[in-house]
Amino acid sequence: MVHDPNGKDCRLVGDILARVGDKWSMLVVMTLLEAPLHFNELKRAIRGVSQQMLSRNLRALERDGLVERTVHVGVPVRVEYALSDLGRSLAGPVQALGAWAARARPAIEASRTAFDREHDAQ
Amino acid sequence: MVHDPNGKDCRLVGDILARVGDKWSMLVVMTLLEAPLHFNELKRAIRGVSQQMLSRNLRALERDGLVERTVHVGVPVRVEYALSDLGRSLAGPVQALGAWAARARPAIEASRTAFDREHDAQ
DNA sequence: CGGCATCCGGAGGGATACTG
DNA sequence: CAGTATCCCTCCGGATGCCG
């Protein structure tokens, strides 16, 4: 069977996987799964993320309908980010992957060190 | 709750997610799930991948113990790539994510066009 | 407080050519 | 057949600074 990443069906799946794979998106989703947050709360909750990247990620997630953005007018302005139903439905599969990663971690680390030893000694 | 991508526990989970998210790795895994293949068979099966990237991905997957590489000596040389048990165990979560993507696709595409319309018209 | 604009370095990914 | 080596280029991600 031939797999074509540009085939119409696989196209958006690849998109999703890329989204899931990028450095911050799933961290955002997992954080918002616990509770809706304001921008800077989110920034503090996700240690190490820059404003830039957080902003970009939130935009992208909002565009895809995974995150809902609500502006509360006032002084100062407050913007609340919350997962949509679609976003919440993503949490299951992602957590499954996370659980797999946790289980597989020892095996992967062992395999890596073994592989590296063989190749460094060469 | 604070999420730190550099916290020891989250570190490798992030690694895994990044691996899952890159352009070819999961395509390789899904292809090998059907049957073990030789290098060029794999290259033909995954439309559009370069030798370079396929080679790199296979190395990385082998290093992590997800793929097993077997050299069959002879003329010409044949190298067979197959999923390890660990690799096969990854297929479940990945397929779950794929299924989610397939289900979510219409909603996501609709959300994107709506979002883009609002912002282009501005 | 919640962003966007700009600049920058480095990694990711591709084309091509060459080797065992 | 199964790669490695080289070159190149884009885009991700971070730092900084400015604006409503």
Side-chain angles (χ1 to χ4, degrees):
Chain A
M1 163 111 194
V2 174
H3 290 93
D4 183 351
N6 292 327
K8 290 176 53 194
D9 291 345
C10 291
R11 185 62 199 282
L12 190 125
V13 173
D15 262 35
I16 306 273
L17 258 52
R19 172 70 40 82
V20 168
D22 79 30
K23 195 169 179 181
W24 304 109
S25 287
M26 287 309 101
L27 230 34
V28 170
V29 169
M30 285 307 140
T31 304
L32 289 182
L33 189 61
E34 301 169 10
L37 290 176
H38 301 148
F39 186 88
N40 278 338
E41 290 175 333
L42 207 41
K43 176 158 163 39
R44 273 189 297 274
I46 304 176
R47 192 72 65 176
V49 68
S50 66
Q51 285 188 355
Q52 177 80 270
M53 283 302 108
L54 184 54
S55 181
R56 284 189 196 176
N57 272 285
L58 287 169
R59 283 265 164 198
L61 290 170
E62 185 196 357
R63 187 172 103 98
D64 287 357
L66 300 175
V67 161
E68 281 159 3
R69 182 175 180 273
T70 317
V71 179
H72 298 279
V73 187
V75 178
V77 176
R78 297 212 142 232
V79 181
E80 193 176 73
Y81 292 94
L83 278 190
S84 67
D85 289 343
L86 191 62
R88 260 184 298 278
S89 76
L90 172 56
V94 170
Q95 282 177 321
L97 208 56
W100 180 90
R103 262 182 292 120
R105 186 170 68 171
I108 290 178
E109 283 178 340
S111 179
R112 283 185 182 174
T113 56
F115 185 95
D116 291 345
R117 186 185 332 279
E118 276 185 32
H119 277 256
D120 290 347
Q122 208 213 96
Chain B
M1 160 113 196
V2 174
H3 290 93
D4 182 353
N6 292 327
K8 289 176 54 194
D9 291 345
C10 290
R11 185 63 199 282
L12 190 124
V13 172
D15 261 36
I16 306 273
L17 259 50
R19 172 67 40 83
V20 168
D22 78 30
K23 195 169 178 180
W24 304 109
S25 289
M26 288 309 101
L27 231 33
V28 171
V29 170
M30 286 305 141
T31 304
L32 289 182
L33 188 62
E34 302 169 10
L37 290 175
H38 302 146
F39 187 87
N40 278 338
E41 290 175 331
L42 206 42
K43 177 160 164 37
R44 273 189 296 275
I46 303 176
R47 193 71 66 177
V49 68
S50 66
Q51 284 188 357
Q52 176 82 265
M53 283 301 107
L54 183 54
S55 182
R56 284 191 198 176
N57 272 284
L58 287 170
R59 283 264 163 200
L61 291 170
E62 185 196 357
R63 187 171 103 98
D64 286 357
L66 301 175
V67 161
E68 281 159 3
R69 181 175 180 274
T70 317
V71 180
H72 299 278
V73 186
V75 179
V77 176
R78 297 212 143 234
V79 180
E80 194 176 72
Y81 291 94
L83 279 190
S84 67
D85 288 344
L86 191 62
R88 260 185 297 279
S89 76
L90 172 56
V94 170
Q95 282 177 319
L97 208 56
W100 180 90
R103 261 182 292 119
R105 187 170 66 171
I108 290 178
E109 285 178 339
S111 179
R112 283 185 183 175
T113 56
F115 185 94
D116 291 344
R117 186 185 333 278
E118 277 184 33
H119 276 256
D120 290 347
Q122 208 214 96

